[in-house]
Amino acid sequence: MSCCNKLAEKLKMKTDTLDKICVFLAELLGTAMLVFLGCMGCVSTDVFHNNHLQMCLNFGLVVMVVIQCFGCVSGSHLNPTVTIAAYVYEMISAPMAIVYFCGQMLGGFIGYGLLKVVLPDSVINTPSTGLCVTLPHPEITAGQGCIIEFIITAILILVCCGVWDPRNAKFHDSVPIRFGLAIACLAITAGPFTGASMNPARSFGPALWHNNFTMHWVYWVGPMSAAVIAAFGYKIVFRREVKEEAVHHKLRNLEDVPLS
């Protein structure tokens, strides 16, 4: 019996390790797709025409596509703020949060690197900041930008918590569409002021490739603090466990069985 228990433990360990590898790869590929396709949709030059609405809708649609691809594997966090919120919400452990974070950061770096391979230098190396490098608008101070990122990220996390709420467990079929539209809405609203990152991994990749970390702290402090506060607040104030419905049997014993 002890040999069987040891074998079962080893198999369980191998399964756990495989699951962690799958989650890491799903977050890496998903975040790479997010940065690659999302930032490609932000190209706007005299040759490649684009507008703000198109950029925002593109990012929302990309999120929808990625969630549809990898949502069943890792939940498609694609964003350290979502991972932090999931940890606060007690959906993942601290070691798994680290796995998610590593996959997201590496994915953002790889996704933008692929973009540099396939697009012309004139598109990538724009005169001001570089393609998709997030910076507050010149009329916006760093503090104001941080507050804006905090608010829109908090709203995004509230959307996540609403989806994770046990009372919403039966309504997950449209999750990719809901998240895509939520991202598009927040980007349309706040994009002109801060770039509406809401995602440190999405901001870190372009900033690292361009070595441009001007006011980069805004895109860490605002979103990460929003994730902790919003997730904790929703968990304490709004979350409710679903009560199991009692099963009522019409026939409780053999005496209730009708005679044929």
Side-chain angles (χ1 to χ4, degrees):
M1 184 64 70
S2 60
C3 293
C4 292
N5 289 338
K6 288 181 180 179
L7 179 60
E9 271 186 37
K10 288 182 179 179
L11 290 174
K12 185 177 183 299
M13 288 176 62
K14 288 182 179 179
T15 302
D16 290 344
T17 303
L18 181 61
D19 288 343
K20 288 179 181 178
I21 293 173
C22 287
V23 166
F24 174 81
L25 291 176
E27 288 298 304
L28 186 150
L29 291 173
T31 310
M33 290 169 60
L34 173 68
V35 173
F36 179 82
L37 296 175
C39 290
M40 182 180 282
C42 289
V43 173
S44 182
T45 66
D46 293 336
V47 178
F48 305 101
H49 299 287
N50 207 340
N51 59 60
H52 175 63
L53 178 61
Q54 183 178 334
M55 296 177 195
C56 297
L57 291 176
N58 173 68
F59 254 108
L61 292 173
V62 171
V63 168
M64 181 189 72
V65 168
V66 177
I67 293 176
Q68 189 62 45
C69 291
F70 300 114
C72 59
V73 180
S74 66
S76 287
H77 292 185
L78 315 177
N79 184 341
T81 65
V82 177
T83 297
I84 289 293
Y87 173 71
V88 172
Y89 212 68
E90 298 180 352
M91 296 189 64
I92 60 173
S93 63
M96 281 306 300
I98 294 173
V99 172
Y100 274 85
F101 179 80
C102 292
Q104 292 156 3
M105 299 304 292
L106 184 58
F109 178 79
I110 292 174
Y112 198 85
L114 290 174
L115 203 62
K116 287 177 68 70
V117 171
V118 300
L119 292 184
D121 287 341
S122 60
V123 170
I124 294 290
N125 300 312
T126 56
S128 53
T129 60
L131 176 66
C132 230
V133 174
T134 49
L135 278 172
H137 189 276
E139 298 293 324
I140 299 293
T141 67
Q144 290 172 325
C146 188
I147 294 172
I148 291 172
E149 285 292 315
F150 177 92
I151 293 172
I152 61 176
T153 306
I155 295 170
L156 174 63
I157 297 305
L158 290 176
V159 173
C160 294
C161 292
V163 170
W164 297 335
D165 194 301
R167 292 168 294 185
N168 203 26
K170 297 179 181 178
F171 307 102
H172 281 186
D173 289 346
S174 60
V175 165
I177 297 174
R178 280 186 268 169
F179 269 106
L181 292 176
I183 293 293
C185 169
L186 296 170
I188 290 171
T189 304
F193 305 101
T194 64
S197 173
M198 301 172 279
N199 186 341
R202 171 256 179 275
S203 289
F204 181 76
L208 184 61
W209 277 103
H210 288 280
N211 193 27
N212 185 351
F213 292 94
T214 306
M215 297 190 192
H216 188 67
W217 64 270
V218 167
Y219 301 97
W220 284 89
V221 174
M224 295 299 272
S225 57
V228 174
I229 294 172
F232 185 76
Y234 189 100
K235 175 185 170 184
I236 297 300
V237 178
F238 299 111
R239 177 172 173 167
R240 297 291 183 274
E241 298 299 329
V242 176
K243 295 181 180 179
E244 294 184 6
E245 296 180 1
V247 179
H248 299 284
H249 295 284
K250 292 182 180 179
L251 307 179
R252 297 185 180 277
N253 52 54
L254 292 176
E255 293 179 357
D256 294 328
V257 179
L259 297 176
S260 58

